Amino acid sequence: MYQLAPNIELLFTEAGEYHDRVRAAAAVGFDAVEMWGPTGVDAPSTPKDLPALKAALEETGTQLTAQLAEPRTQFMIPPWDHSEFFRKLDEGVAIAQDLGCPRIVVGSGTGFGGWKRQVQLDKLIEIYRKAIAQIDGSGVTLVLEPVNVRVDHPGSLLDRTSEAVYVARGVDSPQFGVLYDIYHSAVESEDMEAELANAGDLIRYVQLADAPGRGEPGTGDLDWAERFRLLRASGYDGPIGLEYYPTTGSEASVAHIVELGRTA
């Protein structure tokens, strides 16, 4: 049985504030949630009420499985000043520790047309080796997310699971791994079984949405019983983030995936 973690940016929004969304998720049986940026990735001027969020997590016994790093940095675009990323990384780790969150999701940003792709991947390795050295001993793992460029993230450098795995192997740290997003992988027409086999134990977190459409499982074309079978066969037994745009009420939208998750 997989631990499923609804994304409280997208799900249980009917409940109101983020802390109320945690309580709403817990009320229907979830013991985990995930979120995007802890201080408002899309609206920095209106940060989340972190004390209230922490209180809701503790009150309900809910695990926060993942949060995004802030700011979302363009690592490869000139002038190559990454100081704000490294400064905010310490803040993000402190927030993660306070909220009991073991993972911070990081990315690649947009690719730079002036460099060969391999050069940029190797630059990412350098950047994340430095990041891991900075947070060494924190208990927080950085998970690198490749995202699709065909629909949602045009121009992103990392759009292939295998290249995220390449970077993770180069960083070579138990505090660094790969986020495998079933939706992004499907949009890029990847072979899930092959990608998971290549990644091995570098997969440290998984997210899902159906494709096409990025709605709840059952709204697209993916065979979810088969996807769970492949995930289980790969040896992954960690949490799964439900990062989709619901096409109906939150509680109704999770019903199908919850049923599959119970038997996976």
Side-chain angles (χ1 to χ4, degrees):
M1 181 176 181
Y2 278 109
Q3 182 184 49
L4 302 178
N7 186 298
I8 55 172
E9 311 286 344
L10 306 176
L11 293 169
F12 297 102
T13 58
E14 303 95 333
E17 299 295 331
Y18 289 98
H19 47 276
D20 294 319
R21 299 175 197 183
V22 171
R23 294 186 176 93
V28 297
F30 289 103
D31 62 1
V33 296
E34 64 170 25
M35 68 179 187
W36 291 343
T39 59
V41 67
D42 291 323
S45 61
T46 54
K48 293 180 173 69
D49 185 341
L50 296 178
L53 183 59
K54 179 180 179 180
L57 292 169
E58 292 179 344
E59 171 194 316
T60 59
T62 301
Q63 169 77 58
L64 181 63
T65 58
Q67 66 185 50
L68 292 184
E70 296 176 331
R72 302 299 280 173
T73 303
Q74 295 292 354
F75 290 111
M76 298 302 142
I77 304 300
W80 304 297
D81 178 5
H82 307 142
S83 58
E84 184 68 0
F85 168 76
F86 287 108
R87 185 184 73 80
K88 294 287 286 186
L89 180 61
D90 284 335
E91 293 182 19
V93 166
I95 291 169
Q97 290 172 324
D98 189 46
L99 297 179
C101 178
R103 299 171 193 83
I104 292 179
V105 178
V106 294
S108 67
T110 304
F112 177 49
W115 282 343
K116 291 183 178 179
R117 191 176 187 86
Q118 188 62 52
V119 170
Q120 296 181 71
L121 295 177
D122 290 339
K123 287 289 184 183
L124 272 186
I125 291 173
E126 292 179 17
I127 289 165
Y128 283 124
R129 280 178 177 168
K130 181 179 177 181
I132 289 298
Q134 179 173 312
I135 68 169
D136 184 47
S138 66
V140 174
T141 296
L142 302 185
V143 288
L144 179 62
E145 182 179 21
V147 294
N148 82 80
V149 295
R150 298 183 181 184
V151 176
D152 299 279
H153 301 277
S156 178
L157 172 61
L158 272 186
D159 62 342
R160 309 302 299 174
T161 301
S162 60
E163 291 184 338
V165 169
Y166 171 83
V167 173
R169 286 180 177 143
V171 174
D172 190 23
S173 168
Q175 281 185 265
F176 194 87
V178 174
L179 189 167
Y180 181 75
D181 188 304
I182 295 173
Y183 165 76
H184 288 306
S185 184
V187 171
E188 288 293 333
S189 300
E190 291 186 336
D191 181 323
M192 180 174 174
E193 185 173 20
E195 298 298 341
L196 293 175
N198 177 57
D201 63 3
L202 288 173
I203 300 296
R204 305 290 170 78
Y205 194 55
V206 170
Q207 291 177 322
L208 63 75
D210 214 333
R214 206 171 184 177
E216 65 267 25
T219 58
D221 297 336
L222 301 185
D223 181 338
W224 285 98
E226 175 64 5
R227 299 281 160 163
F228 271 127
R229 186 193 70 77
L230 293 173
L231 195 60
R232 182 63 75 189
S234 76
Y236 181 78
D237 60 1
I240 301 173
L242 309 184
E243 191 191 34
Y244 62 78
Y245 293 88
T247 64
T248 183
S250 296
E251 186 173 354
S253 79
V254 300
H256 180 54
I257 200 65
V258 166
E259 184 59 33
L260 288 172
R262 287 196 179 113
T263 58

